[in-house]
């Protein structure tokens, strides 16, 4: 089967650091073009990968030698360019979140379905099998009855000019890093999660939330306590707490490809480390995208539930100001 011809929209830092190397390493992908608002920028990145440079994102969507696009734009631009790409007949791998409302997310998923195109949200961590292994251990009763789940994804402050601090570009901690603990809670506790309450911390310097927390629960009262932030010490962790013990996965969301996972099981004062094989979650996510395009795999239902929960957290959060 010929490789999927892929174009990248925007010379994003994350695309340069993680996704372009993974696309280039995948035999099923042929990098076709890099498109940028700035032609010289597109040229220098395209040259590094021996592909074409295009000026403007529309040029990639109108290009017959492009089957699929990767969209690593600021969050507030995702929905527009995902829609344009689908309308142009391209398969789409888009950065998280697909859109900043549940309704828009549902519309985009419907559009992809009716056009017979793959639409995949680029949340990488679920592609690492350490999470399925952790859930299996919990389901096997290793920590007794599940009582609550705690997850945190917090990262250090970025330069003031970063897209994450721009309200007009869909910035803010919830859309950028809050996605991860919410997705982890869905994976751990299932789709019936509801939002009980939330806090959004607003920095007086920026018109966006720079951190927050949310309390969710299942109908049977298992709670999920989630934290996220853009001006914090680095944390990337979750814990299942049960009636007889707890299980922790750390680092949970961004383990490097050579990281040997070690799940930490604590029971009655005894600690057991469950070691697993290293996995490259970026390579696995890229392979899953190719499989979605080729196999006509339906979008992950978690994407829509995640969008609904993020919207509920955003609308219900009590706002606190950080001086
Ligand atoms: N899945 C993951 O693990 C992960 C990790 C990190 C980041 N991300 C996501 O990747 C995306 C990019 O993040 P990043 O940190 O790489 O950001 P970035 O370096 O600032 O890149 C954003 C790109 O968007 C384009 N753009 C279009 N309109 C823009 C505007 N008005 N202002 C600024 N840039 C604009 C620019 O490309 P041109 O100027 O070349 O057109 C720019 O290079 C975000 O959606 C982020 O959430 C995902």
């Amino acid at each position: 089967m010929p490789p999927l011809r892929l174009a990248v929209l925007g010379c994003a830092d994350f695309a340069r650091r993680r996704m372009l190397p993974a696309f280039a390493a995948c035999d099923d992908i042929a990098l076709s073009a890099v498109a940028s608002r700035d032609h010289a920028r597109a040229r220098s990145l395209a040259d590094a990968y021996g592909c074409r440079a295009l000026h403007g994102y529309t040029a990639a969507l109108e290009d017959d030698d492009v089957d699929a696009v990767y969209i690593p734009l600021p969050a507030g631009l995702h929905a527009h360019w995902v829609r344009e790409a689908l309308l142009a007949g391209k398969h789409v791998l888009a950065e998280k979140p697909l859109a900043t409302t549940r309704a828009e997310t549902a519309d985009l998923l419907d559009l992809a379905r009716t056009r017979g195109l793959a639409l995949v949200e680029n949340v990488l961590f679920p592609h690492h099998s350490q999470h399925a292994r952790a859930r299996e251990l919990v389901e096997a009763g290793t920590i007794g009855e599940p009582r609550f789940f705690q997850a945190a994804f917090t990262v250090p402050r970025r330069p003031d000019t970063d897209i994450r601090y721009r309200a007009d570009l869909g910035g803010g901690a919830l859309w950028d890093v809050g996605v991860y603990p919410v997705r982890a809670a869905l994976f751990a506790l299932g789709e019936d999660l509801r939002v009980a309450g939330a806090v959004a911390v607003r920095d007086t310097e920026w018109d966006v939330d720079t951190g927050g927390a949310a309390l969710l629960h299942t109908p049977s009262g298992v709670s999920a306590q989630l934290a996220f932030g853009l001006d914090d010490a680095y944390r990337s962790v979750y814990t299942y707490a049960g009636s007889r013990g707890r299980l922790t996965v750390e680092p949970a969301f961004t383990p490097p490809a050579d990281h040997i996972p070690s799940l930490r099981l604590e029971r009655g004062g005894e600690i057991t480390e469950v070691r697993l094989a290293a996995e490259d979650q970026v390579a696995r996510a890229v392979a899953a995208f190719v499989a979605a395009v080729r196999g006509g795999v339906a979008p992950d239902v978690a994407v829509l539930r995640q969008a609904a929960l993020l919207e509920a957290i955003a609308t219900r959060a009590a706002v606190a100001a950080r001086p």
Side-chain angles (χ1 to χ4, degrees):
M1 200 173 283
L4 187 67
R5 296 168 303 174
L6 183 90
V8 176
L9 306 194
C11 301
D13 176 61
F14 183 65
R16 289 172 191 271
R17 285 190 296 109
R18 291 277 183 273
M19 299 309 296
L20 275 157
F23 295 143
C26 176
D27 289 342
D28 293 317
I29 286 186
L31 271 170
S32 178
V34 172
S36 170
R37 297 172 300 166
D38 180 307
H39 195 243
R41 194 158 49 236
R43 163 65 46 220
S44 90
L45 189 54
D47 282 353
Y49 286 92
C51 65
R52 293 171 301 137
L54 298 173
H55 188 198
Y57 308 145
T58 306
L61 305 188
E62 290 174 345
D63 193 314
D64 290 339
D65 292 329
V66 169
D67 307 311
V69 292
Y70 166 56
I71 304 184
L73 299 174
L77 306 185
H78 292 170
H80 171 79
W81 287 105
V82 168
R83 181 178 303 282
E84 292 298 304
L86 293 171
L87 290 173
K90 309 299 185 196
H91 300 285
V92 178
L93 176 64
E95 272 311 331
K96 33 53 87 169
L98 276 192
T100 51
T101 65
R102 185 205 169 278
E104 264 183 318
T105 308
D107 281 353
L108 294 173
L109 292 169
D110 281 348
L111 182 61
R113 210 168 1 247
T114 54
R115 302 245 160 180
L117 295 165
L119 172 56
V120 174
E121 186 181 54
N122 199 35
V123 179
L124 300 170
F125 81 86
H127 296 280
H128 199 301
S129 61
Q130 66 173 340
H131 309 292
R133 185 73 189 110
R135 192 170 64 184
E136 276 166 22
L137 286 168
V138 171
E139 286 170 354
T142 47
I143 59 166
E145 290 293 320
R147 294 290 193 241
F148 61 91
F149 177 81
Q150 290 175 309
F153 191 45
T154 60
V155 298
R157 185 171 174 143
R158 302 176 72 96
D160 287 1
T161 51
D162 195 276
I163 54 169
R164 289 157 185 78
Y165 302 130
R166 295 263 308 269
D168 59 328
L169 295 178
L174 179 61
W175 305 125
D176 191 61
V177 279
V179 171
Y180 295 89
V182 168
R183 185 66 151 262
L186 278 168
F187 184 85
L189 303 181
E191 306 228 328
D192 274 347
L193 277 177
R194 296 146 201 201
V195 176
V199 178
V201 178
R202 280 188 174 264
D203 216 294
T204 43
E205 256 180 273
W206 293 289
D207 188 25
V208 296
D209 58 304
T210 52
L215 178 64
L216 285 67
H217 67 95
T218 67
S220 63
V222 180
S223 62
Q225 303 157 15
L226 314 179
F228 42 91
L230 288 174
D231 187 9
D232 298 80
Y234 186 80
R235 286 208 83 198
S236 171
V237 61
Y238 65 75
T239 297
Y240 289 89
S243 54
R244 287 191 289 110
R246 57 192 171 151
L247 178 70
T248 297
V249 177
E250 184 175 25
F253 303 118
T254 55
D258 59 357
H259 171 73
I260 307 281
S262 182
L263 313 183
R264 184 181 166 94
L265 187 55
E266 298 170 71
R267 288 179 297 190
E270 187 186 308
I271 297 174
T272 314
E273 300 282 346
V274 181
R275 283 166 74 83
L276 306 173
E279 270 179 23
D280 183 344
Q281 64 184 26
V282 186
R284 288 169 68 97
V286 169
F289 176 60
V290 173
V293 170
R294 294 200 168 149
V297 178
D300 187 346
V301 285
V303 175
L304 192 54
R305 277 304 294 148
Q306 172 193 292
L309 292 174
L310 288 170
E311 183 176 280
I313 291 169
T315 50
R316 295 179 52 180
V319 179
R322 183 183 284 151

